[in-house]
Amino acid sequence: MKPVQLFEVRAAIPRETGWLSERERERLSTFRLPNRRHDFRSGRWTAKRALARAFDMPEDLETLARLDIRPDDRGAPHPYLGDERLPCDLSLSHRSGATLCALDVEGSQIGCDVEWVEPRSREFEAHFMNEAERRWLEGLAPVARAEAANLLWSAKESALKGLHRGLDIDVRSIEVELHQGPDRKLSIHVPHTPHPMRGSWQRHEGWLLTVARAG
């Protein structure tokens, strides 16, 4: 089965919280900032609906309440049905009112990222892009450069999420290879991993979406 992806912009999330698990409602109550509460709710809403579709469950609120997305010590989300861990890897990303969820039921590690296409500063490029990537960006017109810089960054973010790594490595050491063709495939080479991660990307209005898989 191919990875399941669900992308939502300003999703119509129920105002009540009965579709959240008890554990999730307790965690929601600890967030004071409205944006943080919204990201938590939108992430759980999108992830639970993606899980329901992947495992052929109904998307009614009672079923969604039985699904529980639990973070590990590094903050990576793991899906449960009650107290049973579901056999899949899951990743979430938020940006500018949009939420992306990607999950893999074949045992592969998966990571996803959504970015709003906007100009990136030279300081940003110097901090996160390697020399070859910066040379490529220098040769692009401003609009194309903004998309390319965000695409490179998003692909690296997806790879780190898929490997359950944070920014504890030099992101400039991660190399993104964009393949020719309409399917928008990419390979992401992360140091000290035996094989490159396989990925893809797509545009959605002003957003860029990337997904990367390991294994």
Side-chain angles (χ1 to χ4, degrees), residues 174-202:
I174 301 174
E175 297 182 2
V176 179
E177 179 183 358
L178 303 176
H179 300 289
Q180 299 295 323
D183 50 0
R184 294 174 176 166
K185 298 293 185 182
L186 50 84
S187 298
I188 310 168
H189 304 262
V190 182
H192 311 302
T193 56
H195 305 287
M197 298 187 73
R198 296 165 293 148
S200 62
W201 66 278
Q202 59 181 290

Side-chain angles (χ1 to χ4, degrees), residues 2-208:
K2 293 183 178 180
V4 174
Q5 297 179 43
L6 183 57
F7 177 63
E8 298 189 304
V9 181
R10 293 177 287 277
I13 306 169
R15 296 186 59 133
E16 69 272 13
T17 59
W19 56 274
L20 292 169
S21 70
E22 181 178 355
R23 187 190 306 267
E24 289 168 335
R25 290 196 298 273
E26 290 176 356
R27 189 168 180 222
L28 178 64
S29 69
T30 66
F31 300 131
R32 297 291 176 251
L33 296 177
N35 288 347
R36 186 67 185 91
R37 291 175 62 85
H38 177 269
D39 284 350
F40 182 84
R41 283 165 50 83
S42 65
R44 265 47 186 182
W45 178 249
T46 304
K48 290 183 180 211
R49 295 176 62 230
L51 286 165
R53 296 177 189 187
F55 290 96
D56 295 321
M57 301 176 188
E59 294 184 30
D60 60 90
L61 301 188
E62 182 178 350
T63 300
L64 297 185
R66 295 176 58 213
L67 291 166
D68 187 17
I69 314 297
R70 305 179 188 177
D72 62 17
D73 292 341
R74 299 179 67 91
H78 298 286
Y80 286 77
L81 181 63
D83 287 326
E84 179 183 357
R85 170 77 180 270
L86 289 172
C88 70
D89 200 47
L90 180 149
S91 182
L92 282 169
S93 182
H94 312 86
R95 182 67 197 273
S96 302
T99 303
L100 174 64
C101 175
L103 59 93
D104 191 294
V105 297
E106 294 183 339
S108 297
Q109 293 174 296
I110 193 167
C112 70
D113 186 66
V114 56
E115 296 291 337
W116 179 254
V117 178
E118 60 185 350
R120 296 289 189 171
S121 68
R122 298 298 188 269
E123 290 77 15
F124 178 92
E125 293 177 359
H127 194 68
F128 294 113
M129 309 301 166
N130 60 42
E131 184 177 351
E133 291 166 342
R134 294 197 302 274
R135 284 200 305 269
W136 176 51
L137 293 173
E138 285 290 347
L140 300 176
V143 174
R145 182 173 186 150
E147 179 174 90
N150 282 281
L151 175 56
L152 291 172
W153 168 246
S154 185
K156 295 182 184 198
E157 274 274 276
S158 289
L160 291 173
K161 288 183 179 181
L163 296 172
H164 297 175
R165 298 282 300 271
L167 296 177
D168 56 346
I169 66 174
D170 187 345
V171 181
R172 291 170 295 187
S173 66
I174 301 174
E175 297 182 2
V176 179
E177 179 183 358
L178 303 176
H179 300 289
Q180 299 295 323
D183 50 0
R184 294 174 176 166
K185 298 293 185 182
L186 50 84
S187 298
I188 310 168
H189 304 262
V190 182
H192 311 302
T193 56
H195 305 287
M197 298 187 73
R198 296 165 293 148
S200 62
W201 66 278
Q202 59 181 290
R203 298 184 186 93
H204 182 90
E205 298 177 352
W207 285 275
L208 278 175

